[in-house]
Amino acid sequence: MLEPVDNKNETAGANPPKSKSYKDFFNYFGEERVVHDRFAEFRTRLISHIVPIFSRMGIVPDTISYVGITFLAGVILYFVRNPVVAVLFLAGHVFFDGVDGAYARHTGKASQSGAFTDLVCDQFGMVVVSLMVIFHHMVAPLIGAVYMALYLMVVVFGVIINAIGLKTRITVTSKYFLYLTYAAWAIWEVNLFAPMMTFFSAIMALQVLIGYLRLKRGIRKKFDSEVRFSAGDPYSGKLNYIFNLAIPALVLLIILIWGNWIPLRAMIDIPKQSVSWSQGIPLIPEEKTEQLLGFGIQNKDFLVLCRKPDDHLEVTRFSESGQAGQSFTIPEYVSPMFGTFPVDRNILLIPDDTTRLLMGIDLDASFAARQAVMVMTLPFKYLRVTAMTTGEWKGKKVWLAANYLYTRRTYVIDPEKALKKGYLLGGLIASYVNAGYPHGMVIRDRTVIEYNRSPLQKLIYAAPLKSVIAGTNLMDAAKTSFFAPRDDVFGPAIYGDSLVVLSPEGKLYKLPLAAFLVTTQKSDSKRTPH
């Protein structure tokens, strides 16, 4: 939205002299100035009847700005407790945001220092709402942080451009769109923060780039020497200019390649062997309309989590033949981080992205009660876990939790220690470098089997657990790799003597473990004496 920065001063007289135009003071708007002139004058006339009251009370424009900031405390306190009340406080902040500058103009003593106070106070509303949206998980932290940073950069660049006389062009910001988006969430519970922030971030990123280039060129013309290079200077010339641009670009490229070497390799890796998957009986009939969210395996049964047409979530026990058995419901807010759920004896482990907790569900009690009986919740904290399994390491039961691109590591966790410490990594025993895009994993015969779903190449790797923990990354340690039957499957998991995956439609695919594990075990036994 195109928005002005009103101007005001710190004192107001009873009989003010003719006011100066607020064009002469701090602002970050440009060619749309005529619109803002009219809007500002309208607000000045609108509050003219309360100006004498303020003047007799001795109120200065800065006080009005500070009152506007205090209303943001109400926004913070009621942001989720009572959103409608928070919207009213936000409306009060917007009102005082407009009144302070109009009051200063009406008194005829608008000033640069007052405009600066107005400018700073105005941006507090955007910062507070953005931080609350991030804090209450209404938008991904990265999107919220990028939006807020770009917004502030647009404002700062606009002010500097105007201050040094370059004249800002049209400035597009989105503060009021942000406020309206929050009002929509507060009244109708419609969350549009992600698309709104993403859209305006793209626009503001372009503005920041153009603003930097204009500032660079303008500052050079205004403050630098006209003759920067003498004739024959080795630093002059187009080739030297290109060379100097290429240096930072090359450094950036080296850092990006070095820091992303493993996932880049995973994107272009090729399978080491070809395998033949067989298709089993669909666990969910084709005429069913439920959405499959994930599955786990307990003994000979499949535990399938689906979102039903009425939006409730249900875990159903299926046999290999597709015969449905007992079921129970789980809370509707649950949003699984990944689609292959480990089963630790009688406990189904489901990772919830909404609360960022690993939930342990007692299967016997849940099937008996027909609703989830939680016996454990464990925070993930900063980890974005996209694959997890249970297994053994050095004779002890462990969990393996694979983190996505953020750390590119899979963590070997002692569950007892983690529960005592109160968070997943509290039980850390060891870790290793995975292939960057883990979407499912399982352990069998001291071999870790990971489905790595990179943007270009989607492969299943099988590597000795001992080798990867010793320091070799998963791809180098892998004795074999092969394609999944489809790119979008959940899995892998172990069912008897087969590796199984499940499609989003409920189709089951099987691969005998002997098709690839024999080679892996023989290779590992040659290297590891018994």
mmCIF file of all heavy atoms in Angstrom, residues 341-357:
data_model
loop_
_atom_site.group_PDB
_atom_site.id
_atom_site.type_symbol
_atom_site.label_atom_id
_atom_site.label_comp_id
_atom_site.label_asym_id
_atom_site.label_seq_id
_atom_site.Cartn_x
_atom_site.Cartn_y
_atom_site.Cartn_z
ATOM 1 N N PHE A 341 5.828 -43.633 10.270
ATOM 2 C CA PHE A 341 5.833 -43.497 11.717
ATOM 3 C C PHE A 341 6.497 -44.708 12.372
ATOM 4 O O PHE A 341 6.063 -45.851 12.148
ATOM 5 C CB PHE A 341 4.409 -43.345 12.252
ATOM 6 C CG PHE A 341 3.597 -42.301 11.541
ATOM 7 C CD1 PHE A 341 2.290 -42.553 11.169
ATOM 8 C CD2 PHE A 341 4.145 -41.064 11.238
ATOM 9 C CE1 PHE A 341 1.543 -41.591 10.508
ATOM 10 C CE2 PHE A 341 3.413 -40.092 10.580
ATOM 11 C CZ PHE A 341 2.100 -40.367 10.206
ATOM 12 N N PRO A 342 7.527 -44.486 13.197
ATOM 13 C CA PRO A 342 8.141 -45.605 13.916
ATOM 14 C C PRO A 342 7.174 -46.169 14.968
ATOM 15 O O PRO A 342 6.341 -45.441 15.521
ATOM 16 C CB PRO A 342 9.366 -44.971 14.586
ATOM 17 C CG PRO A 342 9.536 -43.631 13.938
ATOM 18 C CD PRO A 342 8.191 -43.214 13.475
ATOM 19 N N VAL A 343 7.314 -47.453 15.219
ATOM 20 C CA VAL A 343 6.564 -48.099 16.292
ATOM 21 C C VAL A 343 7.576 -48.699 17.262
ATOM 22 O O VAL A 343 8.352 -49.583 16.896
ATOM 23 C CB VAL A 343 5.620 -49.192 15.758
ATOM 24 C CG1 VAL A 343 4.889 -49.867 16.913
ATOM 25 C CG2 VAL A 343 4.610 -48.596 14.779
ATOM 26 N N ASP A 344 7.589 -48.173 18.483
ATOM 27 C CA ASP A 344 8.509 -48.634 19.516
ATOM 28 C C ASP A 344 7.723 -49.530 20.466
ATOM 29 O O ASP A 344 7.016 -49.067 21.355
ATOM 30 C CB ASP A 344 9.093 -47.431 20.271
ATOM 31 C CG ASP A 344 10.249 -47.819 21.185
ATOM 32 O OD1 ASP A 344 10.432 -49.026 21.432
ATOM 33 O OD2 ASP A 344 10.963 -46.921 21.658
ATOM 34 N N ARG A 345 7.807 -50.849 20.200
ATOM 35 C CA ARG A 345 7.009 -51.848 20.924
ATOM 36 C C ARG A 345 5.518 -51.533 20.750
ATOM 37 O O ARG A 345 4.977 -51.745 19.683
ATOM 38 C CB ARG A 345 7.410 -51.906 22.387
ATOM 39 C CG ARG A 345 8.844 -52.398 22.610
ATOM 40 C CD ARG A 345 9.151 -52.585 24.092
ATOM 41 N NE ARG A 345 10.492 -53.106 24.281
ATOM 42 C CZ ARG A 345 11.568 -52.347 24.431
ATOM 43 N NH1 ARG A 345 11.459 -51.032 24.440
ATOM 44 N NH2 ARG A 345 12.757 -52.903 24.586
ATOM 45 N N ASN A 346 4.876 -50.978 21.787
ATOM 46 C CA ASN A 346 3.447 -50.705 21.707
ATOM 47 C C ASN A 346 3.166 -49.210 21.542
ATOM 48 O O ASN A 346 2.025 -48.778 21.653
ATOM 49 C CB ASN A 346 2.743 -51.226 22.981
ATOM 50 C CG ASN A 346 1.237 -51.126 22.889
ATOM 51 O OD1 ASN A 346 0.645 -51.559 21.913
ATOM 52 N ND2 ASN A 346 0.612 -50.506 23.891
ATOM 53 N N ILE A 347 4.207 -48.431 21.277
ATOM 54 C CA ILE A 347 4.051 -46.979 21.186
ATOM 55 C C ILE A 347 4.238 -46.530 19.747
ATOM 56 O O ILE A 347 5.272 -46.771 19.125
ATOM 57 C CB ILE A 347 5.077 -46.255 22.091
ATOM 58 C CG1 ILE A 347 4.974 -46.758 23.527
ATOM 59 C CG2 ILE A 347 4.849 -44.749 22.020
ATOM 60 C CD1 ILE A 347 3.620 -46.527 24.167
ATOM 61 N N LEU A 348 3.209 -45.878 19.202
ATOM 62 C CA LEU A 348 3.278 -45.282 17.872
ATOM 63 C C LEU A 348 3.816 -43.863 18.009
ATOM 64 O O LEU A 348 3.275 -43.048 18.762
ATOM 65 C CB LEU A 348 1.893 -45.256 17.225
ATOM 66 C CG LEU A 348 1.775 -44.589 15.846
ATOM 67 C CD1 LEU A 348 2.548 -45.370 14.787
ATOM 68 C CD2 LEU A 348 0.308 -44.440 15.435
ATOM 69 N N LEU A 349 4.897 -43.560 17.294
ATOM 70 C CA LEU A 349 5.528 -42.235 17.374
ATOM 71 C C LEU A 349 5.091 -41.404 16.164
ATOM 72 O O LEU A 349 5.369 -41.750 15.023
ATOM 73 C CB LEU A 349 7.049 -42.363 17.398
ATOM 74 C CG LEU A 349 7.639 -43.193 18.546
ATOM 75 C CD1 LEU A 349 9.155 -43.317 18.399
ATOM 76 C CD2 LEU A 349 7.281 -42.564 19.891
ATOM 77 N N ILE A 350 4.401 -40.295 16.450
ATOM 78 C CA ILE A 350 3.941 -39.396 15.390
ATOM 79 C C ILE A 350 4.531 -38.014 15.646
ATOM 80 O O ILE A 350 4.313 -37.428 16.712
ATOM 81 C CB ILE A 350 2.403 -39.310 15.342
ATOM 82 C CG1 ILE A 350 1.817 -40.675 14.957
ATOM 83 C CG2 ILE A 350 1.947 -38.257 14.340
ATOM 84 C CD1 ILE A 350 0.304 -40.682 14.829
ATOM 85 N N PRO A 351 5.276 -37.463 14.684
ATOM 86 C CA PRO A 351 5.853 -36.116 14.849
ATOM 87 C C PRO A 351 4.859 -35.049 14.411
ATOM 88 O O PRO A 351 4.396 -35.061 13.275
ATOM 89 C CB PRO A 351 7.060 -36.153 13.909
ATOM 90 C CG PRO A 351 6.607 -37.073 12.804
ATOM 91 C CD PRO A 351 5.650 -38.063 13.398
ATOM 92 N N ASP A 352 4.516 -34.135 15.275
ATOM 93 C CA ASP A 352 3.521 -33.112 14.954
ATOM 94 C C ASP A 352 4.212 -31.789 14.640
ATOM 95 O O ASP A 352 4.920 -31.231 15.479
ATOM 96 C CB ASP A 352 2.559 -32.942 16.134
ATOM 97 C CG ASP A 352 1.534 -31.847 15.869
ATOM 98 O OD1 ASP A 352 1.162 -31.667 14.696
ATOM 99 O OD2 ASP A 352 1.130 -31.164 16.824
ATOM 100 N N ASP A 353 3.967 -31.287 13.429
ATOM 101 C CA ASP A 353 4.577 -30.026 13.011
ATOM 102 C C ASP A 353 3.883 -28.824 13.642
ATOM 103 O O ASP A 353 4.468 -27.753 13.764
ATOM 104 C CB ASP A 353 4.523 -29.919 11.489
ATOM 105 C CG ASP A 353 5.457 -28.849 10.949
ATOM 106 O OD1 ASP A 353 6.525 -28.632 11.561
ATOM 107 O OD2 ASP A 353 5.129 -28.231 9.924
ATOM 108 N N THR A 354 2.628 -28.986 14.046
ATOM 109 C CA THR A 354 1.880 -27.873 14.639
ATOM 110 C C THR A 354 2.461 -27.501 16.003
ATOM 111 O O THR A 354 2.712 -26.325 16.290
ATOM 112 C CB THR A 354 0.400 -28.246 14.786
ATOM 113 O OG1 THR A 354 -0.130 -28.616 13.514
ATOM 114 C CG2 THR A 354 -0.396 -27.071 15.336
ATOM 115 N N THR A 355 2.661 -28.499 16.853
ATOM 116 C CA THR A 355 3.200 -28.243 18.196
ATOM 117 C C THR A 355 4.697 -28.472 18.271
ATOM 118 O O THR A 355 5.309 -28.166 19.290
ATOM 119 C CB THR A 355 2.520 -29.171 19.217
ATOM 120 O OG1 THR A 355 2.758 -30.546 18.845
ATOM 121 C CG2 THR A 355 1.027 -28.929 19.263
ATOM 122 N N ARG A 356 5.293 -29.021 17.190
ATOM 123 C CA ARG A 356 6.708 -29.375 17.148
ATOM 124 C C ARG A 356 7.060 -30.320 18.291
ATOM 125 O O ARG A 356 8.053 -30.147 18.997
ATOM 126 C CB ARG A 356 7.590 -28.124 17.162
ATOM 127 C CG ARG A 356 7.373 -27.217 15.957
ATOM 128 C CD ARG A 356 8.478 -26.216 15.764
ATOM 129 N NE ARG A 356 9.766 -26.856 15.558
ATOM 130 C CZ ARG A 356 10.150 -27.395 14.401
ATOM 131 N NH1 ARG A 356 9.368 -27.383 13.360
ATOM 132 N NH2 ARG A 356 11.344 -27.954 14.303
ATOM 133 N N LEU A 357 6.197 -31.334 18.452
ATOM 134 C CA LEU A 357 6.397 -32.352 19.481
ATOM 135 C C LEU A 357 6.384 -33.736 18.849
ATOM 136 O O LEU A 357 5.647 -33.992 17.887
ATOM 137 C CB LEU A 357 5.287 -32.289 20.531
ATOM 138 C CG LEU A 357 5.217 -31.048 21.434
ATOM 139 C CD1 LEU A 357 3.943 -31.094 22.262
ATOM 140 C CD2 LEU A 357 6.441 -30.974 22.340
#
